[in-house]
Amino acid sequence: MTPYPRLTLALTTATLLLATNLYGAATAHADDDPADPPGTEASASAPVDVDPNDPDLKLPDGATLAQAKVLDIKSVVEDQSGDERREDTNTNVTFALQAEVLFGKDSAKLGGEAKSRVAGIAEEIRNQNAGKIRVFGFTDNLGSSAHGDVLSKQRANAVQELLAQTLNDAGITYEVRGYGEDYPIADNSTEAGRKKNRRVEVSFPRTS
């Protein structure tokens, strides 16, 4: 797998993810009323069954096995500036680009850096031979919630359109959503945190 450029700081974590019910057909434009973001369900396989009565298990007298848990191994790579973030799980790859590197302030018009940033993601999509791509927009909690919902949808649509032009593959389907200020990944009480939350995420299945 070709490494994504400009990514220098690596952190690997094991995270327990709970499966959620996901709805919404794939579309080239952001949903008006999106549900929870798809791709947040656990991707690891269910643990193997263990016989608590197996004599080779050698449990102490009176001891019992804890309930099995599904752990999803997630690799998180973020460049030092925080402009780009990549997450790899067992089944998915997610790129998060901060809004400032793609758009002007409070704008959904793509800026000068957007083409090269999206081209890098498109290269990884080709490497993974992905057939379905999710493009989700998010904002911080400044301003009204309604404004954030609209802006995040517009930004997700803009990135999807550029990505589709770059890939030029009619066989790829897109799921595009705007979530506004919902699902922050950092603290909205600081500007550094709000900057991380103003983002567009592109995710797709991993094949290698």
Side-chain angles (χ1 to χ4, degrees), residues 17-155:
L17 299 178
L18 300 177
T20 56
N21 292 326
L22 307 177
Y23 299 93
T27 176
H29 293 283
D31 293 346
D32 289 331
D33 187 19
D36 292 343
T40 57
E41 67 276 10
S43 61
S45 301
V48 297
D49 291 331
V50 177
D51 181 4
N53 299 315
D54 188 331
D56 293 329
L57 196 57
K58 297 181 180 178
L59 287 173
D61 290 341
T64 58
L65 289 176
Q67 185 177 3
K69 296 180 179 180
V70 177
L71 294 179
D72 194 4
I73 305 303
K74 179 185 293 184
S75 172
V76 180
V77 182
E78 185 174 289
D79 69 359
Q80 290 180 332
S81 67
D83 289 348
E84 301 178 25
R85 174 186 176 94
R86 172 177 175 152
E87 295 184 4
D88 286 88
T89 67
N90 300 340
T91 58
N92 292 295
V93 179
T94 301
F95 287 93
L97 296 176
Q98 288 186 6
E100 278 79 354
V101 304
L102 297 173
F103 307 99
K105 184 177 180 181
D106 201 31
S107 171
K109 182 178 180 181
L110 291 166
E113 273 195 73
K115 188 173 183 179
S116 62
R117 301 279 182 149
V118 171
I121 297 176
E123 180 181 356
E124 183 63 19
I125 291 171
R126 293 189 187 100
N127 290 340
Q128 298 292 341
N129 196 27
K132 181 176 181 178
I133 302 169
R134 294 164 171 160
V135 185
F136 298 155
F138 304 85
T139 63
D140 58 26
N141 65 349
L142 297 181
S144 71
S145 176
H147 177 70
D149 290 344
V150 171
L151 182 61
S152 65
K153 292 175 188 177
Q154 292 174 339
R155 286 177 168 177

